[in-house]
Amino acid sequence: MVKRSLTVAGLFAGVGGIELGFQRAGFKPVFANEIDKHASITYRANHGHPLSEGDIGELSSEELPKDLTVLAGGFPCQPFSVAGYRKGFNDDRGNVFRDIVRLMQDREPEVVFLENVKNLKGHDNGNTFRVINESLEASGYSVAAKVLNSSEYGNIPQNRERIYIIGFKDPEANARFQWPEPLPLTTKLSDLIDFRRKVDSKYYYTDERPFWDMLSSGVTKSNTMYQWRRQYVRENKSGVCPTLTANMGMGGHNVPLIKTRYGIRKLTPRECFNLMGFAPDFQLPEELAMSQLYKQAGNSVVVPVVQRIAQQIQSAI
């Protein structure tokens, strides 16, 4: 029996974390779309398949390959985020979901894979999620959805809860699909963060910071992580990294911090990508500003979680 080729195309691709997860599970990435020019630079540095750079609203379904197995996307989370405006589909940025539906209906992939913030399910008393679910079902897909934490399902020490929504064209495949089981967390922070190495001085906090006194007295341990929360220091007592965000490169509020023998510092971009489950050889283009690399890491997905879901999708179809 000849094993058929399984393909995946990514929308709102960012740096391609979803595609990498599916690739690790045996799918072949064949196409992607991304509007951000900086993320596109990183994408092209790490992937060889076609990337359409531009607004998804201008993306023709004819650009997507035919006979597509999976159409995937971590669509913009701002309209559905607790930290955002909570406007959902009334926000112009929420309209991009309608483009997903348009492309999905035109190309009819076997599977639709979507990722978003945990709050999506409860946004607007559940109405936003209901619209998404009903849109998929009206397009002929049977839907499964679940919130997974990367520290429980990806063996990655980051507290990152995300909702994963999967639509199957074949209802029997949906019936066969099973979510991955939780994993023991064996990966330590020190496996992904180098607490002992001295890094560039730009990553360290010094007494020039107006809140240095509180920071220096609050950040005391070298085996965990902290956050500066505007008025106080918060220790992450669970022993994992707090959720990485897209604005980490802007400084100030909620930036994850560690204490090393060389001082208190923020994470490097490479360490952030490590905490998203990217391989050490994933290229971070030197021409990009650090703020862009932090943004790209914070906007991405935890690759091993996607890989495990993709493996279950492969078994189901």
Side-chain angles (χ1 to χ4, degrees), residues 266-287:
K266 59 185 177 181
L267 302 177
T268 66
R270 173 62 66 186
E271 289 169 335
C272 291
F273 275 88
N274 291 346
L275 284 160
M276 299 299 289
F278 286 81
D281 61 354
F282 188 83
Q283 299 299 306
L284 306 183
E286 294 182 0
E287 67 266 32

Side-chain angles (χ1 to χ4, degrees), residues 106-255:
D106 285 352
R107 270 298 182 248
E108 296 187 326
E110 290 184 53
V111 180
V112 177
F113 177 91
L114 304 174
E115 180 264 0
N116 213 296
V117 294
K118 174 187 177 182
N119 184 57
L120 175 68
K121 201 161 189 177
H123 178 265
D124 191 22
N125 296 316
N127 288 327
T128 303
F129 179 74
R130 177 180 55 79
V131 170
I132 292 173
N133 193 71
E134 290 179 356
S135 297
L136 291 171
E137 290 181 342
S139 302
Y141 290 83
S142 302
V143 181
K146 190 171 184 177
V147 174
L148 302 180
N149 193 325
S150 58
S151 66
E152 298 171 351
Y153 289 87
N155 194 19
I156 292 291
Q158 182 192 165
N159 180 36
R160 190 180 190 87
E161 294 180 294
R162 289 294 185 266
I163 187 168
Y164 299 91
I165 305 168
I166 307 170
F168 290 91
K169 197 70 173 174
D170 179 2
E172 293 184 3
N174 184 48
R176 289 190 295 268
F177 175 75
Q178 294 183 335
W179 293 98
E181 295 292 327
L183 286 173
L185 180 60
T186 59
T187 304
K188 302 184 292 293
L189 287 174
S190 58
D191 293 327
L192 305 177
I193 301 170
D194 198 335
F195 286 83
R196 295 181 293 181
R197 182 173 65 91
K198 187 174 184 179
V199 299
D200 194 287
S201 60
K202 62 189 175 186
Y203 296 107
Y204 292 92
Y205 285 57
T206 68
D207 56 10
E208 295 178 359
R209 299 269 180 168
F211 49 83
W212 172 252
D213 288 344
M214 281 188 285
L215 198 64
S216 59
S217 61
V219 180
T220 58
K221 301 176 183 177
S222 296
N223 60 352
T224 188
M225 300 192 70
Y226 297 83
Q227 286 173 293
W228 170 247
R229 302 296 295 268
R230 297 191 195 279
Q231 300 296 330
Y232 66 96
V233 173
R234 177 182 178 181
E235 177 186 347
N236 194 315
K237 296 184 179 180
S238 62
V240 300
C241 178
T243 303
L244 299 181
T245 64
N247 61 3
M248 288 180 293
M250 307 306 291
H253 186 53
N254 278 352
V255 176

